[in-house]
Tab-separated table of all heavy atoms in Angstrom:
chain	number	residue	atom	x	y	z
A	93	GLN	N	-14.349	59.868	-34.700
A	93	GLN	CA	-14.800	58.508	-34.395
A	93	GLN	C	-15.020	58.385	-32.902
A	93	GLN	O	-14.071	58.135	-32.139
A	93	GLN	CB	-13.775	57.483	-34.892
A	93	GLN	CG	-14.235	56.041	-34.767
A	93	GLN	CD	-13.185	55.057	-35.266
A	93	GLN	OE1	-11.993	55.210	-34.999
A	93	GLN	NE2	-13.613	54.027	-35.993
A	98	GLN	N	-19.796	55.021	-35.109
A	98	GLN	CA	-19.277	55.176	-36.463
A	98	GLN	C	-18.636	56.529	-36.687
A	98	GLN	O	-18.942	57.508	-36.007
A	98	GLN	CB	-20.386	54.935	-37.483
A	98	GLN	CG	-21.508	55.920	-37.442
A	98	GLN	CD	-22.753	55.321	-38.065
A	98	GLN	OE1	-23.710	55.035	-37.380
A	98	GLN	NE2	-22.731	55.114	-39.363
A	154	ARG	N	-10.332	59.542	-59.498
A	154	ARG	CA	-11.604	59.082	-60.033
A	154	ARG	C	-12.222	58.039	-59.117
A	154	ARG	O	-13.157	57.341	-59.495
A	154	ARG	CB	-11.402	58.487	-61.435
A	154	ARG	CG	-10.697	59.411	-62.405
A	154	ARG	CD	-11.450	60.707	-62.645
A	154	ARG	NE	-12.701	60.504	-63.355
A	154	ARG	CZ	-13.482	61.500	-63.748
A	154	ARG	NH1	-13.160	62.732	-63.477
A	154	ARG	NH2	-14.607	61.242	-64.388
A	155	ASP	N	-11.669	57.929	-57.907
A	155	ASP	CA	-12.235	56.970	-56.971
A	155	ASP	C	-12.351	57.646	-55.599
A	155	ASP	O	-12.074	58.835	-55.465
A	155	ASP	CB	-11.354	55.717	-56.890
A	155	ASP	CG	-9.918	56.061	-56.502
A	155	ASP	OD1	-9.725	56.740	-55.468
A	155	ASP	OD2	-9.002	55.661	-57.229
A	156	ASP	N	-12.784	56.898	-54.615
A	156	ASP	CA	-13.038	57.453	-53.289
A	156	ASP	C	-11.916	57.193	-52.298
A	156	ASP	O	-12.129	57.272	-51.100
A	156	ASP	CB	-14.342	56.863	-52.731
A	156	ASP	CG	-15.573	57.633	-53.200
A	156	ASP	OD1	-15.385	58.683	-53.862
A	156	ASP	OD2	-16.692	57.199	-52.932
A	158	ILE	N	-9.300	57.696	-49.721
A	158	ILE	CA	-8.928	58.774	-48.812
A	158	ILE	C	-7.770	58.277	-47.974
A	158	ILE	O	-7.750	57.127	-47.525
A	158	ILE	CB	-10.123	59.179	-47.923
A	158	ILE	CG1	-11.172	59.891	-48.768
A	158	ILE	CG2	-9.672	60.075	-46.768
A	158	ILE	CD1	-12.365	60.396	-47.989
B	247	SER	N	-20.874	53.783	-54.607
B	247	SER	CA	-19.474	53.504	-54.289
B	247	SER	C	-19.350	52.939	-52.882
B	247	SER	O	-19.984	53.452	-51.946
B	247	SER	CB	-18.645	54.786	-54.390
B	247	SER	OG	-17.364	54.576	-53.854
B	253	GLN	N	-8.690	49.103	-39.910
B	253	GLN	CA	-8.245	49.974	-38.835
B	253	GLN	C	-7.595	49.165	-37.738
B	253	GLN	O	-8.213	48.267	-37.159
B	253	GLN	CB	-9.409	50.786	-38.264
B	253	GLN	CG	-8.970	51.804	-37.217
B	253	GLN	CD	-10.105	52.651	-36.674
B	253	GLN	OE1	-11.265	52.436	-36.966
B	253	GLN	NE2	-9.768	53.648	-35.879
B	271	ARG	N	-12.277	50.113	-58.546
B	271	ARG	CA	-11.621	51.284	-59.120
B	271	ARG	C	-10.231	51.502	-58.553
B	271	ARG	O	-9.398	52.157	-59.193
B	271	ARG	CB	-12.452	52.548	-58.887
B	271	ARG	CG	-13.777	52.543	-59.596
B	271	ARG	CD	-14.352	53.942	-59.785
B	271	ARG	NE	-14.737	54.554	-58.510
B	271	ARG	CZ	-15.417	55.700	-58.445
B	271	ARG	NH1	-15.751	56.348	-59.529
B	271	ARG	NH2	-15.742	56.206	-57.267
B	272	ASN	N	-9.987	50.990	-57.363
B	272	ASN	CA	-8.686	51.180	-56.776
B	272	ASN	C	-8.468	50.096	-55.721
B	272	ASN	O	-9.432	49.559	-55.155
B	272	ASN	CB	-8.573	52.573	-56.125
B	272	ASN	CG	-7.130	53.027	-55.978
B	272	ASN	OD1	-6.198	52.237	-56.085
B	272	ASN	ND2	-6.952	54.316	-55.739
B	310	SER	N	-20.506	56.240	-50.736
B	310	SER	CA	-20.737	57.593	-51.260
B	310	SER	C	-21.497	57.464	-52.570
B	310	SER	O	-21.667	56.374	-53.102
B	310	SER	CB	-19.408	58.327	-51.468
B	310	SER	OG	-18.812	57.914	-52.679
B	321	PHE	N	-19.635	56.246	-43.141
B	321	PHE	CA	-19.078	54.991	-42.608
B	321	PHE	C	-20.096	54.161	-41.863
B	321	PHE	O	-21.016	54.695	-41.237
B	321	PHE	CB	-17.915	55.308	-41.657
B	321	PHE	CG	-16.656	55.711	-42.356
B	321	PHE	CD1	-16.448	57.021	-42.745
B	321	PHE	CD2	-15.670	54.764	-42.624
B	321	PHE	CE1	-15.283	57.387	-43.399
B	321	PHE	CE2	-14.497	55.122	-43.259
B	321	PHE	CZ	-14.312	56.427	-43.657
Side-chain angles (χ1 to χ4, degrees):
Chain A
Q93 187 180 42
Q98 64 202 111
R154 305 300 293 184
D155 56 54
D156 275 354
I158 290 183
Chain B
S247 169
Q253 185 178 6
R271 295 201 293 189
N272 202 345
S310 80
F321 284 85

